[in-house]
PDB file of all heavy atoms in Angstrom:
ATOM      1  N   GLY A 442     -42.904 -31.813  94.140  1.00 98.00           N
ATOM      2  CA  GLY A 442     -41.723 -32.112  93.504  1.00 98.00           C
ATOM      3  C   GLY A 442     -40.869 -33.159  94.195  1.00 98.00           C
ATOM      4  O   GLY A 442     -40.850 -33.199  95.379  1.00 98.00           O
ATOM      5  N   MET A 443     -40.206 -34.069  93.403  1.00 97.00           N
ATOM      6  CA  MET A 443     -39.351 -35.046  94.046  1.00 97.00           C
ATOM      7  C   MET A 443     -38.202 -35.488  93.242  1.00 97.00           C
ATOM      8  O   MET A 443     -38.310 -35.453  91.982  1.00 97.00           O
ATOM      9  CB  MET A 443     -40.272 -36.261  94.528  1.00 97.00           C
ATOM     10  CG  MET A 443     -40.764 -37.094  93.346  1.00 97.00           C
ATOM     11  SD  MET A 443     -41.768 -38.630  93.955  1.00 97.00           S
ATOM     12  CE  MET A 443     -43.272 -37.784  94.315  1.00 97.00           C
ATOM     13  N   ASP A 444     -37.180 -35.944  93.875  1.00 97.00           N
ATOM     14  CA  ASP A 444     -36.085 -36.636  93.212  1.00 97.00           C
ATOM     15  C   ASP A 444     -36.148 -38.115  93.630  1.00 97.00           C
ATOM     16  O   ASP A 444     -36.399 -38.461  94.909  1.00 97.00           O
ATOM     17  CB  ASP A 444     -34.676 -36.114  93.707  1.00 97.00           C
ATOM     18  CG  ASP A 444     -34.373 -34.756  93.190  1.00 97.00           C
ATOM     19  OD1 ASP A 444     -34.837 -34.416  92.102  1.00 97.00           O
ATOM     20  OD2 ASP A 444     -33.701 -33.992  93.807  1.00 97.00           O
ATOM     21  N   VAL A 445     -35.996 -38.969  92.675  1.00 97.00           N
ATOM     22  CA  VAL A 445     -35.902 -40.421  93.036  1.00 97.00           C
ATOM     23  C   VAL A 445     -34.569 -40.971  92.479  1.00 97.00           C
ATOM     24  O   VAL A 445     -34.163 -40.868  91.479  1.00 97.00           O
ATOM     25  CB  VAL A 445     -37.019 -41.230  92.283  1.00 97.00           C
ATOM     26  CG1 VAL A 445     -37.022 -42.676  92.690  1.00 97.00           C
ATOM     27  CG2 VAL A 445     -38.415 -40.620  92.555  1.00 97.00           C
ATOM     28  N   PHE A 446     -33.789 -41.464  93.507  1.00 96.00           N
ATOM     29  CA  PHE A 446     -32.433 -41.891  93.295  1.00 96.00           C
ATOM     30  C   PHE A 446     -32.458 -43.477  93.244  1.00 96.00           C
ATOM     31  O   PHE A 446     -32.711 -44.139  94.237  1.00 96.00           O
ATOM     32  CB  PHE A 446     -31.534 -41.474  94.359  1.00 96.00           C
ATOM     33  CG  PHE A 446     -31.401 -39.930  94.450  1.00 96.00           C
ATOM     34  CD1 PHE A 446     -32.221 -39.157  95.247  1.00 96.00           C
ATOM     35  CD2 PHE A 446     -30.431 -39.213  93.687  1.00 96.00           C
ATOM     36  CE1 PHE A 446     -32.182 -37.778  95.309  1.00 96.00           C
ATOM     37  CE2 PHE A 446     -30.333 -37.829  93.764  1.00 96.00           C
ATOM     38  CZ  PHE A 446     -31.177 -37.108  94.545  1.00 96.00           C
ATOM     39  N   TYR A 447     -32.144 -43.989  92.036  1.00 96.00           N
ATOM     40  CA  TYR A 447     -32.080 -45.384  91.824  1.00 96.00           C
ATOM     41  C   TYR A 447     -30.652 -45.820  91.702  1.00 96.00           C
ATOM     42  O   TYR A 447     -29.995 -45.405  90.751  1.00 96.00           O
ATOM     43  CB  TYR A 447     -32.860 -45.787  90.589  1.00 96.00           C
ATOM     44  CG  TYR A 447     -32.775 -47.318  90.268  1.00 96.00           C
ATOM     45  CD1 TYR A 447     -32.903 -48.272  91.231  1.00 96.00           C
ATOM     46  CD2 TYR A 447     -32.450 -47.599  88.874  1.00 96.00           C
ATOM     47  CE1 TYR A 447     -32.842 -49.615  90.795  1.00 96.00           C
ATOM     48  CE2 TYR A 447     -32.323 -48.958  88.590  1.00 96.00           C
ATOM     49  CZ  TYR A 447     -32.511 -49.937  89.542  1.00 96.00           C
ATOM     50  OH  TYR A 447     -32.388 -51.209  89.186  1.00 96.00           O
ATOM     51  N   LYS A 448     -30.150 -46.671  92.640  1.00 96.00           N
ATOM     52  CA  LYS A 448     -28.705 -46.997  92.692  1.00 96.00           C
ATOM     53  C   LYS A 448     -28.487 -48.420  92.380  1.00 96.00           C
ATOM     54  O   LYS A 448     -27.419 -48.950  92.569  1.00 96.00           O
ATOM     55  CB  LYS A 448     -28.290 -46.646  94.120  1.00 96.00           C
ATOM     56  CG  LYS A 448     -28.343 -45.136  94.453  1.00 96.00           C
ATOM     57  CD  LYS A 448     -27.404 -44.291  93.418  1.00 96.00           C
ATOM     58  CE  LYS A 448     -27.401 -42.865  93.920  1.00 96.00           C
ATOM     59  NZ  LYS A 448     -26.613 -42.059  93.009  1.00 96.00           N
ATOM     60  N   GLY A 449     -29.508 -49.121  91.880  1.00 95.00           N
ATOM     61  CA  GLY A 449     -29.299 -50.614  91.561  1.00 95.00           C
ATOM     62  C   GLY A 449     -29.757 -51.452  92.647  1.00 95.00           C
ATOM     63  O   GLY A 449     -30.695 -52.291  92.400  1.00 95.00           O
ATOM     64  N   ASN A 450     -29.195 -51.295  93.917  1.00 96.00           N
ATOM     65  CA  ASN A 450     -29.596 -52.199  94.924  1.00 96.00           C
ATOM     66  C   ASN A 450     -30.417 -51.410  95.947  1.00 96.00           C
ATOM     67  O   ASN A 450     -30.783 -52.047  97.006  1.00 96.00           O
ATOM     68  CB  ASN A 450     -28.313 -52.793  95.627  1.00 96.00           C
ATOM     69  CG  ASN A 450     -27.398 -51.726  96.205  1.00 96.00           C
ATOM     70  OD1 ASN A 450     -27.501 -50.565  95.889  1.00 96.00           O
ATOM     71  ND2 ASN A 450     -26.406 -52.193  97.042  1.00 96.00           N
ATOM     72  N   TYR A 451     -30.759 -50.162  95.780  1.00 97.00           N
ATOM     73  CA  TYR A 451     -31.749 -49.502  96.610  1.00 97.00           C
ATOM     74  C   TYR A 451     -32.244 -48.296  95.779  1.00 97.00           C
ATOM     75  O   TYR A 451     -31.743 -47.855  94.789  1.00 97.00           O
ATOM     76  CB  TYR A 451     -31.044 -49.023  97.868  1.00 97.00           C
ATOM     77  CG  TYR A 451     -30.165 -47.795  97.880  1.00 97.00           C
ATOM     78  CD1 TYR A 451     -30.451 -46.593  98.090  1.00 97.00           C
ATOM     79  CD2 TYR A 451     -28.771 -48.143  97.605  1.00 97.00           C
ATOM     80  CE1 TYR A 451     -29.594 -45.605  97.984  1.00 97.00           C
ATOM     81  CE2 TYR A 451     -27.829 -47.108  97.576  1.00 97.00           C
ATOM     82  CZ  TYR A 451     -28.236 -45.805  97.690  1.00 97.00           C
ATOM     83  OH  TYR A 451     -27.297 -44.780  97.649  1.00 97.00           O
ATOM     84  N   LEU A 452     -33.365 -47.770  96.281  1.00 97.00           N
ATOM     85  CA  LEU A 452     -34.054 -46.589  95.719  1.00 97.00           C
ATOM     86  C   LEU A 452     -34.440 -45.709  96.812  1.00 97.00           C
ATOM     87  O   LEU A 452     -34.994 -46.144  97.806  1.00 97.00           O
ATOM     88  CB  LEU A 452     -35.191 -47.086  94.840  1.00 97.00           C
ATOM     89  CG  LEU A 452     -36.040 -46.013  94.066  1.00 97.00           C
ATOM     90  CD1 LEU A 452     -36.614 -46.721  92.816  1.00 97.00           C
ATOM     91  CD2 LEU A 452     -37.302 -45.607  94.954  1.00 97.00           C
ATOM     92  N   THR A 453     -34.256 -44.353  96.600  1.00 97.00           N
ATOM     93  CA  THR A 453     -34.569 -43.404  97.596  1.00 97.00           C
ATOM     94  C   THR A 453     -35.452 -42.347  97.001  1.00 97.00           C
ATOM     95  O   THR A 453     -35.125 -41.712  96.017  1.00 97.00           O
ATOM     96  CB  THR A 453     -33.237 -42.768  98.184  1.00 97.00           C
ATOM     97  OG1 THR A 453     -32.525 -43.687  98.894  1.00 97.00           O
ATOM     98  CG2 THR A 453     -33.589 -41.599  99.261  1.00 97.00           C
ATOM     99  N   TYR A 454     -36.493 -41.937  97.811  1.00 98.00           N
ATOM    100  CA  TYR A 454     -37.336 -40.770  97.395  1.00 98.00           C
ATOM    101  C   TYR A 454     -36.992 -39.591  98.278  1.00 98.00           C
ATOM    102  O   TYR A 454     -36.880 -39.781  99.570  1.00 98.00           O
ATOM    103  CB  TYR A 454     -38.787 -41.144  97.760  1.00 98.00           C
ATOM    104  CG  TYR A 454     -39.407 -42.218  96.921  1.00 98.00           C
ATOM    105  CD1 TYR A 454     -39.430 -43.496  97.480  1.00 98.00           C
ATOM    106  CD2 TYR A 454     -40.158 -42.042  95.773  1.00 98.00           C
ATOM    107  CE1 TYR A 454     -40.007 -44.588  96.788  1.00 98.00           C
ATOM    108  CE2 TYR A 454     -40.728 -43.123  95.072  1.00 98.00           C
ATOM    109  CZ  TYR A 454     -40.675 -44.427  95.647  1.00 98.00           C
ATOM    110  OH  TYR A 454     -41.276 -45.411  94.908  1.00 98.00           O
ATOM    111  N   LYS A 455     -36.831 -38.377  97.664  1.00 98.00           N
ATOM    112  CA  LYS A 455     -36.636 -37.153  98.413  1.00 98.00           C
ATOM    113  C   LYS A 455     -37.643 -36.262  97.886  1.00 98.00           C
ATOM    114  O   LYS A 455     -37.597 -35.875  96.680  1.00 98.00           O
ATOM    115  CB  LYS A 455     -35.240 -36.687  98.190  1.00 98.00           C
ATOM    116  CG  LYS A 455     -34.116 -37.627  98.836  1.00 98.00           C
ATOM    117  CD  LYS A 455     -32.757 -37.012  98.745  1.00 98.00           C
ATOM    118  CE  LYS A 455     -31.774 -38.049  99.428  1.00 98.00           C
ATOM    119  NZ  LYS A 455     -30.404 -37.476  99.459  1.00 98.00           N
ATOM    120  N   ILE A 456     -38.613 -35.837  98.732  1.00 98.00           N
ATOM    121  CA  ILE A 456     -39.791 -35.119  98.309  1.00 98.00           C
ATOM    122  C   ILE A 456     -39.944 -33.837  99.113  1.00 98.00           C
ATOM    123  O   ILE A 456     -39.522 -33.771 100.169  1.00 98.00           O
ATOM    124  CB  ILE A 456     -41.063 -35.978  98.503  1.00 98.00           C
ATOM    125  CG1 ILE A 456     -40.787 -37.404  98.184  1.00 98.00           C
ATOM    126  CG2 ILE A 456     -42.319 -35.414  97.794  1.00 98.00           C
ATOM    127  CD1 ILE A 456     -41.553 -38.410  98.860  1.00 98.00           C
TER     128      ILE A 456
END
Side-chain angles (χ1 to χ4, degrees):
M443 68 178 77
D444 289 329
V445 185
F446 297 91
Y447 172 49
K448 298 297 184 179
N450 61 347
Y451 71 95
L452 182 147
T453 298
Y454 298 91
K455 296 185 178 183
I456 317 153

